[in-house]
Amino acid sequence: MESAMPPGQSGLHGQRSAYGPGGPVPRVRRLRLALSVLGGMIALLCVGGAGVVYVAYDTVTQPDRSAPDVVVDNYLRAMFTNRDDLQAEAFLCEALVNIDLIHALRHEIDDREMRFGVDVVVTWSSLTPHNATEEAADVEVGLVITGQSDGQVRSRRSETWSFSLRRESRDWQICSVTTA
């Protein structure tokens, strides 16, 4: 029972097939394609978002080395307030001179706290840049070292320190330390 249809017509009642010559595309195949495209878009968004988060995190956590006095302030905070040697190293040149002096002070503070059971607090003021050029600067700072026990001051002394800095690329770094 073959019926002859005119060329270009197929299906029931002589209508063209909307699905093309191969017949209907299975629903599962279309769903799989849609899910694959959606999954690819989500993956691209995640990768792009991870890149943005990395750049933002890197920018926020970079230590501020924009000016000589800012570098000295951040170094002293890392060294004496946070007591974080790794954080402090971020502000130092590779070719250091006399940096042992500041490490000796820190060791003395740690030793006094252990031996006498006191808290030693280091504060600073008057960060004064001297001899500043585009490539080098000196910063003088007054340190106040206070020993406290039970909320009372037991000892206090002041020292003047001088930090020599050099600009490497865009960032200032401490290259030498002296005390007066």
Side-chain angles (χ1 to χ4, degrees):
M1 229 196 279
E2 288 184 40
S3 69
M5 288 191 181
Q9 290 186 347
S10 62
L12 295 174
H13 308 291
Q15 298 175 356
R16 261 180 210 245
S17 172
Y19 299 111
V25 176
R27 287 184 130 192
V28 173
R29 193 170 174 198
R30 280 186 281 159
L31 181 62
R32 189 178 308 146
L33 177 64
L35 289 176
S36 296
V37 169
L38 182 63
M41 289 173 57
I42 290 172
L44 285 174
L45 285 173
C46 288
V47 169
V52 168
V53 167
Y54 173 78
V55 169
Y57 176 79
D58 188 51
T59 302
V60 169
T61 59
Q62 284 270 332
D64 185 2
R65 294 182 286 225
S66 60
D69 54 339
V70 172
V71 170
V72 172
D73 183 59
N74 287 334
Y75 175 75
L76 293 172
R77 184 173 293 104
M79 194 69 173
F80 295 115
T81 303
N82 301 342
R83 298 192 185 189
D84 185 343
D85 292 332
L86 289 175
Q87 184 183 17
E89 281 181 24
F91 301 101
L92 301 176
C93 288
E94 289 183 24
L96 297 170
V97 178
N98 295 335
I99 199 69
D100 293 341
L101 293 173
I102 201 105
H103 287 287
L105 176 60
R106 166 88 173 276
H107 179 72
E108 175 190 336
I109 289 168
D110 292 342
D111 185 54
R112 284 179 185 256
E113 287 181 333
M114 295 284 284
R115 280 193 334 190
F116 301 116
V118 296
D119 293 321
V120 178
V121 177
V122 178
T123 57
W124 52 94
S125 62
S126 65
L127 292 158
T128 310
H130 297 284
N131 307 323
T133 67
E134 287 292 318
E135 299 300 318
D138 295 326
V139 175
E140 193 170 275
V141 61
L143 296 181
V144 178
I145 303 155
T146 307
Q148 302 174 358
S149 178
D150 297 326
Q152 294 186 348
V153 174
R154 301 291 182 200
S155 66
R156 170 179 266 144
R157 77 178 196 249
S158 298
E159 298 181 1
T160 301
W161 288 73
S162 181
F163 293 82
S164 293
L165 294 92
R166 186 175 66 223
R167 179 178 271 177
E168 294 182 9
S169 299
R170 299 182 338 240
D171 297 332
W172 288 93
Q173 295 181 326
I174 297 169
C175 296
S176 113
V177 179
T178 57
T179 183

